[in-house]
Amino acid sequence: METLRNGTKYIVIILIVSFGLIWVLADVDFFGAMQAGPNNLGQVNGDDISLQEYNQRVQYYNNLYVQQTGNSMTPEITAIYEQQVWDELVNSRLIEQKMDELGITVTDAELLDMVYGDNPDPIIVQNFSRADGTIDRAAIDQVLTNTEFSQQAISLDLQLRQKRRQEKLTNYIAAGVQVTNEQVEQEYLKQNTFADLSYVRFPFADISDEEISVTDADLKDYYNANKEQYKREENYRASVVKFSYLPTADDTAAIFKEVTDLRSSFAEAESDSLFLNRRQSTTPYSATFIDKDDVREEYSAVLDIEEGEVTEPFLNAGQVSIIKNVEENGNEIKFVVFSKQIEALQGTIRDANEEAREFQYYADEETDFASEAERVDTEIQSIFATKGSSFISGLGNSQQVLTFLERADEGDISNVIELGTDFVVVQLDEKTKEGYRSLEDVKAQIQTQVKLEKKKALAVENAKQALASNPTVEALAAATEKEIITAEGLAESSAVLTRAGREPKVIGAIFELEEGETSGVIEGNSAAYIVNVTSKQTPSIDNLDEATRQQIRTRLEGEINQKFGAIWLEQLKKEAEIVDNRSRLIQS
């Protein structure tokens, strides 16, 4: 008790300090900030990506999609664009940071040259050209000097500087990727070198399983030597239930009635084109005279009605259609088709959505996924996905589902996701981190591969023994009862060998041979080959003119720069510190 009494003053001091600290933290809204979560959608090496910037760019793509298609984006298309926007924002940050690191800047003199120089930038040409194609410099001066156009001037300045900066970065990257004259000449020769040949083929598949043996030591050795092949990305196993909103019989009947009710107004319409447009016909307007004998079978009902009349509705490739006989001229007829797609009506879609939402609520809040599926008597399907790939095994392509799986924890249940003609609810059952699959997991796969390797080795050895005593293709074929296969005009640039399939390694070996020469045993993808080159046509470098040389160089530079640029950006990502708060700030 004495110890307790002596310690009381310290306890009181601790409590006073604690309460004081709580008051201070409350005063600065520390707990509100903690509860609110992150302020930004993410960071790239400390550089913020704001939610506002993200939403603005998603909205930009949404507006562009509506303008181009006339339709609003589906949830699945929206999810694809959302992922694209995130990737673009991350990439742009990385590129900006790299340009800063390299000291890539744009001077005022460069900017003025882009605006007033002999070769103005395409942005200037696009925005300040007169009808005759010349540049309206007075209009440029007005934008750049008049305070009424200050926002436009700032925007133009930023746009031009950014474009020039990126051009400099592109040139910097391209400077390290040079295509030599030798590479151009090799490509020219490869494109224009051809050979005629004959060959004998020893398929690996001809070796039976009884002729080889595979031990556990063989499997282990192969696994250790090829471990990188069995590296896996993060992957997900999940369960899904579907609530279909395919059109019902009532939906089809309602659409039939709607089209039927349009018959009289279609017959009376003065402008058939306007009628189809206003009522959003899924068959576009077309009206030309065609021979009655050429009328397609599905439209033949129009032949049984008079000019100005409209047929009864009929089913036509998932649509309900009616046809108007516009005019007849002898054995020719002109007609117009109106169609409406058979699709689920809003009531059907609403009912399916409500079922899915009810399932999601009870599975998440009241019971569990399996119990709720049993209660509503719906099937649970298993799906599998890999991080970064929107193809979901057992479901198809879905960026929405992939996004949920990447952000979720095991046991989490998704909100209702709309896919095609289904509403789905997904539960993440298992999340496996990236790493190497164990030997036990891939044993069957490795066994198949080891068998193939052993069959390859035996087929090659058999071919070598046969070739040793039969040095010509003809003698070899006779001795082994194999067919001699011929190929004419085989291009060195080809990857496919006549009657053998894709064999780039074999084709490469063929063009190392001289005319009349017979090869040794060449191991291909599916067989061992012995080849005789009967003739070979090789062009002269003297025929390579400057225009063709430049064309080849440009193509090779483009291919190399594209590959190098992708690798370069991927390397920047690997080295960067990227914070992704989308799962905390965006409802999936």
Side-chain angles (χ1 to χ4, degrees), residues 468-482:
S469 52
N470 301 280
T472 67
V473 167
E474 291 75 16
L476 184 66
T480 59
E481 298 182 345
K482 300 283 186 184

Side-chain angles (χ1 to χ4, degrees), residues 500-544:
R502 186 173 176 80
E503 290 287 7
K505 182 180 175 181
V506 177
I507 292 173
I510 288 170
F511 285 92
E512 292 293 321
L513 301 172
E514 298 296 331
E515 185 173 311
E517 185 178 357
T518 299
S519 72
V521 177
I522 307 169
E523 182 182 318
N525 291 331
S526 61
Y529 298 82
I530 293 91
V531 183
N532 175 255
V533 176
T534 53
S535 69
K536 192 173 181 181
Q537 302 88 46
T538 304
S540 170
I541 290 297
D542 295 338
N543 295 327
L544 176 56

Side-chain angles (χ1 to χ4, degrees), residues 16-65:
I16 291 172
V17 172
S18 298
F19 278 118
L21 181 61
I22 289 171
W23 278 108
V24 170
L25 293 174
D27 194 45
V28 299
D29 198 25
F30 174 80
F31 299 109
M34 288 290 290
Q35 191 172 23
N39 294 321
N40 291 296
L41 194 65
Q43 287 185 331
V44 180
N45 294 324
D47 190 359
D48 291 339
I49 297 175
S50 71
L51 182 60
Q52 180 183 11
E53 181 184 9
Y54 172 85
N55 286 336
Q56 285 175 343
R57 190 167 294 198
V58 170
Q59 187 60 48
Y60 165 78
Y61 280 120
N62 179 73
N63 294 341
L64 191 64
Y65 183 86

Side-chain angles (χ1 to χ4, degrees), residues 391-426:
F391 177 77
I392 315 293
S393 178
L395 191 65
N397 284 297
S398 176
Q399 183 62 48
Q400 294 180 91
V401 173
L402 178 66
T403 298
F404 164 72
L405 295 174
E406 288 180 343
R407 298 176 184 175
D409 295 321
E410 290 183 0
D412 284 356
I413 295 174
S414 73
N415 292 328
V416 175
I417 298 171
E418 184 178 355
L419 295 180
T421 56
D422 295 300
F423 292 108
V424 303
V425 181
V426 182

Side-chain angles (χ1 to χ4, degrees), residues 114-141:
M114 294 174 76
V115 177
Y116 294 108
D118 294 335
N119 295 300
D121 188 89
I123 293 174
I124 299 298
V125 175
Q126 180 181 352
N127 290 282
F128 297 98
S129 289
R130 298 190 183 96
D132 61 1
T134 60
I135 302 298
D136 188 347
R137 297 192 182 278
I140 298 175
D141 290 339

Side-chain angles (χ1 to χ4, degrees), residues 96 98-106 164-170 172:
E96 287 287 331
K98 194 64 179 177
M99 288 191 292
D100 290 341
E101 179 188 326
L102 295 170
I104 296 176
T105 59
V106 179
R164 181 63 183 138
R165 255 189 122 196
Q166 293 195 348
E167 286 174 354
K168 286 186 172 184
L169 178 64
T170 300
Y172 170 82

